[in-house]
Structure formats: structure tokens, C-alpha cells
Amino acid sequence: MAMRGKDCYLRLVYVNAIPSNDMRFSGLSIRQLEAFDMTMKAGSVSGAASAMHVSQPSVSRLLQDLEADTGLKLFDRSQGRLVPTVQGIMFHAEVAKSFSSARELAKIAEEIRELRRGVLRVGALPALSLEVLPAAMRHFKQLHPQTVSTAAVRSSSQTVAAVASHYMDVGIVDSGVSFLDTICVADFRCNNVCVMAADHPCAVHQDIGIRELSQFPFVSLGRDYLGRSPDGIALREAVSGNVEAETFQSFLACAFVRGSDALAVVDPFTARFYANAGLVQKPLRADIPFSISVVVNNRSKTSSVVEIFVDLLNAQIGHTV
């Protein structure tokens, strides 16, 4: 490709300035580059020595070593003064860019250290994703606006697997699953509640027992969900003849109940969310527990970002239950 005169001149200067057969970078050090940068900025060895808090002979030796390692003549030395050469000026332009990048890296490291930057990946079962998780993440974002947070709704077993594999940092899961290769950092237990439409005959009751539940169509969360306690097993048997629908998600059970005469037993987190949609929740006169756990992986266990988020999450869950 043909080049215009100016381009050709600059290229020839560059080639002559850095002869490839004389370059030796094995001994090049950051300290040499710092001495060179300071000398160029201060205009003298004494100024560089003062800025670096070292002696003038130390700076002079660093500059000599830099010239030897690069094969460049960086300064003309005459009458006790250093005058930058063309090679020195060109090389300093590159050094200055590198030092600017290094300062940016140092700034990023400080932001990461002080939690102004980072990534937080959270997985949760659906019940906790409706209100609790968004609230905790909003609070966390206010405290650490530069941290990027991601959330995924998964089954508890899928979330545990993702946390164990380090694809997620924090998991909010059903306590009934295996925590293999994860660390449980918090447990919460509360009782399920009964949900119904606002005009349901049972809406006037203070609480709901198995007898009332057996008298109306029932939306079930499955045999396993009710089989975790003696009262749950008793309820499962009592409503076996009037199960209207079965689903494995509390929010779907609430959707089935809306506008019907059916009842459902769901976790209080989902029930609280659906109160905004007109459903009524009543305490149960039966012990049918809903237990959740917060799990992390061994790497996340030592992360300040995760530790702070888990504290916020625990506080949010505790406030809800």
C-alpha cells in the first residue's frame, strides 16, 4: 500500500527508534517505568527522586537499566541535564497510556474491595420471588449501586445444583431438598395458611381447620407437600374426595381459588402477595409447616457482597414471617 510522505516519515522514525534486534525486556520493571515517567514529568532526576521518595542515584540507575533493557536512548546527557530524545518522547507516550490503564485498574480494584462494583447471582423458589427477593435486592442496590444483581426463579433442587456449581452465589430453597455441596446459612419455619376468595363463606372465620377444608372444593399442592407433617397427612386424606385441581406452585393455586368457592393451603409469602388481588388468608388450626433455607457455595461464603446481601435477605424474610 502506498503511503503519503508524512506517514512514511513517522514509520521510518519508529523503526529506527526501536531496533528489534537490540530489545531485551526480560529485566523490565514497573519501578523503572515509574522512574522514567516521573523524570519526564518533573523534568529532572532530582524532581523524580523527590516525587518517588528515593535518592537521585537510585533514579539514575533505574533509568540506565531501563535504557539497557529496552535498547533505547531515552535521554541526551549534556552539561548535567537530561534532555529527552525522540525515542524517549515516543516511548513515554506509550508508558503514560499504560500507567493510565494501571490507575484505572487500581480504581476498579478499590471499587470491588469497597463493594461499589461486583456481581451477585441469586436463585429462589417462586414463593420468595414475588415480594421478598425483589425487596431485598432493591435495598441491596441502594447500598451498592454499582453491583450488578441477577435473579432466577428455579425449583429448589435446580437452585441448589446451580449454587453448588458456582453458577449462583445465593439460593433460597425449600428446606426439604438436599443441600449437597452447598452451605446452609439460615433456616426459617412458618405455618402455611388457607386462602380463599373474599366472598367465600369461610372468610368470616378467624381460622380454618381440617373440617372446614374438607367441606369445599380444594386446590392441592400435591401429596408430597401435604405429607411432611401428621396434620398435613390428615388434611390430605380429608380432602381426597374433593380435590378440584392439583398444582406444584402456590401462585397457581391462588389463581385457581380466585373467583371460585375453592380453598387452598399455601405458604404465607404467596398468600400475602395475592392479598393485593382480593384473596383472603386465614391461619390454620393445623400444623402444616413451610420451611425455607438460604444456601451459598464455599466461595460465596467468604464474599463480603454475599454476606451483606444474605443479611438483608434474612431480615426481609424474618419481617415477613
Side-chain angles (χ1 to χ4, degrees), residues 149-190:
S149 302
T150 63
V153 179
R154 299 284 188 272
S155 69
S156 292
S157 57
Q158 289 173 329
T159 296
V160 168
V163 172
S165 301
H166 293 187
Y167 290 114
M168 290 181 181
D169 301 300
V170 183
I172 313 166
V173 300
D174 189 319
S175 297
V177 302
S178 169
F179 299 153
L180 184 63
D181 296 328
T182 63
I183 302 168
C184 180
V185 293
D187 284 300
F188 297 91
R189 185 186 187 280
C190 53

Side-chain angles (χ1 to χ4, degrees), residues 188-256:
F188 297 91
R189 185 186 187 280
C190 53
N191 208 35
N192 280 284
V193 297
C194 178
V195 290
M196 65 198 73
D199 58 353
H200 195 281
C202 289
V204 298
H205 297 176
Q206 291 296 316
D207 51 27
I208 304 296
I210 293 177
R211 184 177 63 84
E212 291 91 340
L213 288 165
S214 66
Q215 294 175 348
F216 294 92
F218 187 76
V219 178
S220 175
L221 291 179
R223 291 179 56 83
D224 292 342
Y225 189 85
L226 293 177
R228 299 177 180 179
S229 68
D231 284 354
I233 294 172
L235 173 60
R236 185 175 67 189
E237 297 302 320
V239 300
S240 60
N242 60 331
V243 173
E244 183 177 73
E246 185 172 288
T247 177
F248 298 106
Q249 305 293 353
S250 290
F251 67 90
L252 287 177
C254 289
F256 276 120

Side-chain angles (χ1 to χ4, degrees), residues 105-126:
L105 289 175
K107 179 181 177 182
I108 291 172
E110 181 184 3
E111 290 177 351
I112 292 173
R113 186 172 59 251
E114 297 181 3
L115 303 180
R116 296 200 299 270
R117 186 187 295 246
V119 176
L120 177 72
R121 302 161 301 176
V122 185
L125 69 167

Side-chain angles (χ1 to χ4, degrees), residues 190-196 208 213 225 264-272 280-284 288 290:
C190 53
N191 208 35
N192 280 284
V193 297
C194 178
V195 290
M196 65 198 73
I208 304 296
L213 288 165
Y225 189 85
V265 170
V266 301
D267 66 88
F269 301 96
T270 305
R272 175 174 171 171
V280 173
Q281 62 169 301
K282 297 291 181 178
L284 290 175
I288 304 177
F290 177 72

